[in-house]
Amino acid sequence: MSSYEQAQSLYSTFKSAFEATPCDLGKCEQQLVQLKVLVLTGALSSKTTGADAAKEQTLARDTLELACFLSIRRNDASGFERHVQQLKMYSGNIAPSAQAHLIQGLFLLHLLAADRIGEFHTELELVQFENLEDKYIKQPVLLERCLMEGNYNKILEAQKEVPHEYYTFFMGRLLDTVRQKVGASLERSYDALPVDYAAKMLRINNIAALQEFVVKENERKAAEEGDDPMAYMTPSLTRRMPVGLVKWEVKDGKLWFVKTADKTLEIPALDIMTNTIGYATDLERIV
């Protein structure tokens, strides 16, 4: 059996396991690792030409496309992005697959959900004009417009009608980003809010869910506080220069925003410098 036939057989096994109901994600991951070693770094990664090269590249592309979907099923956003970047090696070398627009739309939504607006526009520039109306591409574009306008109700409505089931994972992450943006505005405007009103503003259904979100938000903000502010490519309401931790606390029927003493150490000049560099980077990407 040739290397290609061996890889093709392993791909068929992997695909069958992936499409099985129920799907054993752990088993699929093991098979994917073996397949990627053979397809991407093994015998098939050698320089071949002609029809053989096209067959091998098609197999590698199909493997990576399934790997993207497997990452989504495993709630692994970083794994999804890694596989999408690997897929780009085959762009233009072979005809696009039936999954190309779906993966491109998912990647756009992934960038949007991560609040990486500059990278979102860079990726959008790579989309062919005639494909902008494709249902998989169109929704992330519309969602980005709603996000920039602050029209968060439309984002909530979009959760109910996604073009593919895999969009649900990233829509959940996008909703978290929306909550972080709203929360950043609230903590700058208020010292405390009634829990009912805070839950409504944050698009959270009940007080228990609000308390859970408060715990996660405090953990996220504490982790962000120790990060290097220059590492962020795009300054935003949810990713800003550390100027002291604002701790959230649910107590006595209110959501309190407790500002630490470090808040007084804010240096506007450094904040402006961070924002300016971020904006310049985004402009360079878009232009």
Side-chain angles (χ1 to χ4, degrees):
M1 180 181 293
S2 67
S3 298
Y4 173 79
E5 291 172 339
Q6 182 181 356
Q8 183 66 53
S9 176
L10 185 55
Y11 171 78
S12 298
T13 302
F14 169 54
K15 185 177 180 182
S16 296
F18 179 82
E19 294 175 347
T21 305
C23 177
D24 187 339
L25 298 179
K27 181 180 178 181
C28 287
E29 185 67 25
Q30 293 175 357
Q31 293 174 345
L32 175 61
V33 171
Q34 298 173 5
L35 184 57
K36 286 175 65 178
V37 168
L38 185 59
V39 171
L40 302 180
T41 63
L44 294 189
S45 62
S46 60
K47 295 182 179 179
T48 56
T49 58
D52 289 340
K55 284 196 310 180
E56 294 174 3
Q57 290 179 8
T58 300
L59 179 58
R61 181 203 63 195
D62 293 345
T63 298
L64 289 170
E65 286 181 343
L66 274 186
C68 289
F69 300 144
L70 179 61
S71 295
I72 294 174
R73 287 190 180 184
R74 293 174 62 86
N75 298 329
D76 181 7
S78 60
F80 169 78
E81 180 172 351
R82 184 170 60 253
H83 290 128
V84 170
Q85 298 297 351
Q86 291 174 332
L87 261 175
K88 291 182 179 181
M89 295 188 299
Y90 304 97
S91 177
N93 296 334
I94 53 179
S97 75
Q99 309 292 349
H101 292 164
L102 171 58
I103 292 176
Q104 200 167 26
L106 287 167
F107 188 55
L108 285 170
L109 187 55
H110 161 67
L111 294 174
L112 188 62
D115 202 18
R116 292 156 59 181
I117 304 301
E119 294 173 70
F120 174 89
H121 284 283
T122 300
E123 191 68 23
L124 190 59
E125 289 293 323
L126 302 177
V127 179
Q128 297 292 328
F129 179 78
E130 59 270 19
N131 296 331
L132 290 176
E133 291 299 316
D134 182 90
K135 64 178 180 179
Y136 297 129
I137 306 294
K138 189 175 182 178
Q139 189 181 50
V141 174
L142 293 176
L143 289 172
E144 188 269 344
R145 190 176 303 162
C146 294
L147 194 63
M148 294 301 100
E149 294 173 351
N151 193 343
Y152 300 141
N153 285 330
K154 279 195 174 182
I155 295 177
L156 290 175
E157 292 173 5
Q159 277 192 309
K160 303 173 184 177
E161 296 182 5
V162 293
H164 194 280
E165 61 179 320
Y166 290 142
Y167 276 65
T168 304
F169 170 60
F170 295 111
M171 286 300 298
R173 293 170 62 85
L174 179 60
L175 183 56
D176 287 340
T177 297
V178 167
R179 289 190 179 118
Q180 290 167 13
K181 284 180 175 289
V182 173
S185 297
L186 293 177
E187 70 181 27
R188 291 186 176 190
S189 304
Y190 302 97
D191 292 325
L193 283 171
V195 289
D196 291 340
Y197 183 72
K200 180 180 179 181
M201 292 294 294
L202 292 167
R203 275 69 177 178
I204 294 176
N205 295 329
N206 53 64
I207 307 305
L210 174 63
Q211 291 177 321
E212 183 179 349
F213 177 75
V214 165
V215 171
K216 292 181 179 179
E217 183 66 3
N218 284 335
E219 292 174 351
R220 182 190 68 82
K221 288 159 65 67
E224 180 182 296
E225 187 76 3
D227 288 343
D228 180 3
M230 299 304 293
Y232 292 128
M233 301 301 292
T234 308
S236 71
L237 283 174
T238 58
R239 296 200 303 265
R240 56 196 183 277
M241 183 176 176
V243 290
L245 184 64
V246 180
K247 185 179 180 180
W248 294 16
E249 184 178 359
V250 177
K251 184 175 65 174
D252 300 330
K254 291 185 177 182
L255 173 60
W256 295 87
F257 305 109
V258 184
K259 300 176 176 62
T260 65
D262 292 337
K263 198 71 177 178
T264 60
L265 298 178
E266 180 175 356
I267 303 175
L270 292 180
D271 205 359
I272 292 172
M273 180 182 69
T274 302
N275 288 340
T276 302
I277 292 174
Y279 298 148
T281 302
D282 283 350
L283 283 173
E284 184 178 355
R285 285 199 183 105
I286 295 171
V287 174

